Amino acid sequence: MGRVTVVGSINMDIVTTAPRLPRIGETIAGSAVRFLPGGKGANQAVAAARMGASTRMIGRVGADGFGEQMVAFLREQGVETGQIGTAPDLATGVAVVVVQDDGDNAILVVPGANQALHPADASADIGTSGDVVVAQLEVPDAAVAAALAAARTRGVTTILNAAPARRGAIGLLADTDVLVVNEIELAMLAGCETLADSDLVPAAQSLCRRAGQSVVVTLGGRGSLAVVEDGIIEVAARSVPVVDTTGAGDCFVGAMAADLAAGVSLAAALETANAAAALCVGRPGAGIAMPYRWEVVESVAG
């Protein structure tokens, strides 16, 4: 079984709940506030570790209480933290999350120490053949590019979750084996404002042809699809009550990475990822909401 290395962000999430998102200039009353472990990178690392993969995290935190709490949390989840450095002059990244009553959310991220991750640190001891490297876009593009390029030269499978969406990510695709995007991110990489449902597959096929990678599109409550070299894989969503969608995409990526590191096919890994994400949305929070392998197995069997 290979190892999963996650190169990415580590944040403390300040999660508030409210009936709906406030409009510009409007103040509404919320019902709760919680401080919870988060950051796309950290969430994905926890998801992979809870799915049974040997997992390590490469990232940066500030020299503050949030940083200490985040590193301790990751260790408790079984994530190797030896390559998490401290940026003494920056605060640990923070995400302010507003969760509506229907489970949908809006997020404001202040990256802080995440921006101090340097290319040399991101690409050091990146892994060997059979391993999987996962990256997102909440750390500098130069660090992501260095990690993906170093992984490719060592025969490591590379996964890029191109989120948060930005067009500059197109330059990272050359060293990406599996690209994971939602509909908004797919549209941005395809150079469109929006995409109709009928345009999703053609847009993903265009990206697949451009750099030769598999393109996975997460569709929320409609499941996911993947464009691969020899066709299209579609996975239907599971019908589940939704509590909080904050970490669902990260859960999907981490679970998929764990399966790929175990030598599972992409099609089977997508089924696992879908089932894991369905459990995640039924729980509040991000990092703490990631399911364990036994829970996913039970949900599929049931």
Side-chain angles (χ1 to χ4, degrees):
M1 177 179 287
R3 177 172 64 175
V4 175
T5 296
V6 180
V7 178
S9 56
I10 302 169
N11 295 332
M12 180 62 74
D13 288 351
I14 303 174
V15 182
T16 62
T17 56
R20 58 175 175 79
L21 300 180
R23 294 184 291 270
I24 297 297
E26 179 187 25
T27 299
I28 64 174
S31 56
V33 61
R34 293 166 293 162
F35 294 81
L36 300 173
K40 295 189 71 62
N43 294 340
Q44 291 170 6
V46 171
R50 288 190 175 185
M51 290 296 290
S54 173
T55 307
R56 63 176 173 163
M57 180 85 211
I58 299 177
R60 290 291 178 270
V61 294
D64 51 32
F66 282 169
E68 293 173 0
Q69 292 173 50
M70 285 303 305
V71 172
F73 171 74
L74 288 167
R75 286 193 189 123
E76 290 167 1
Q77 308 311 307
V79 177
E80 296 175 29
T81 61
Q83 287 179 268
I84 298 177
T86 301
D89 299 325
L90 294 169
T92 298
V94 171
V96 180
V97 185
V98 181
V99 181
Q100 298 184 145
D101 285 346
D102 63 4
D104 283 337
N105 63 76
I107 305 173
L108 172 66
V109 176
V110 182
N114 291 305
Q115 292 301 304
L117 182 61
H118 300 295
D121 300 317
S123 58
D125 186 25
I126 202 66
T128 59
S129 179
D131 291 344
V132 174
V133 165
V134 182
Q136 334 75 36
L137 302 179
E138 286 186 336
V139 295
D141 283 0
V144 174
L148 295 179
R152 263 295 182 85
T153 64
R154 292 167 173 79
V156 178
T157 298
T158 56
I159 299 174
L160 174 63
N161 178 207
R166 58 176 178 267
R167 287 193 171 89
I170 201 76
L172 301 169
L173 300 189
D175 289 316
T176 299
D177 293 312
V178 182
L179 172 68
V180 184
V181 289
N182 62 21
E183 295 168 83
I184 294 172
E185 293 148 6
L186 176 62
M188 185 165 289
L189 291 179
C192 307
E193 289 298 321
T194 59
L195 288 170
D197 287 350
S198 59
D199 294 327
L200 294 176
V201 169
Q205 288 173 325
S206 176
L207 288 178
C208 182
R209 289 192 298 269
R210 178 169 183 164
Q213 73 279 104
S214 299
V215 179
V216 176
V217 186
T218 57
L219 303 171
R222 292 177 291 151
S224 62
L225 65 86
V227 172
V228 295
E229 190 175 9
D230 56 356
I232 299 169
I233 304 167
E234 294 186 79
V235 181
R238 292 169 170 262
S239 180
V240 294
V242 175
V243 173
D244 184 354
T245 62
T246 305
D250 299 332
C251 178
F252 183 99
V253 172
M256 182 183 71
D259 262 19
L260 292 179
V264 174
S265 69
L266 179 59
L270 292 177
E271 293 283 357
T272 299
N274 240 36
L279 291 173
C280 181
V281 299
R283 304 167 177 177
I288 61 173
M290 303 299 152
Y292 291 90
R293 170 76 68 176
W294 66 267
E295 294 177 293
V296 176
V297 170
E298 284 190 357
S299 74
V300 172

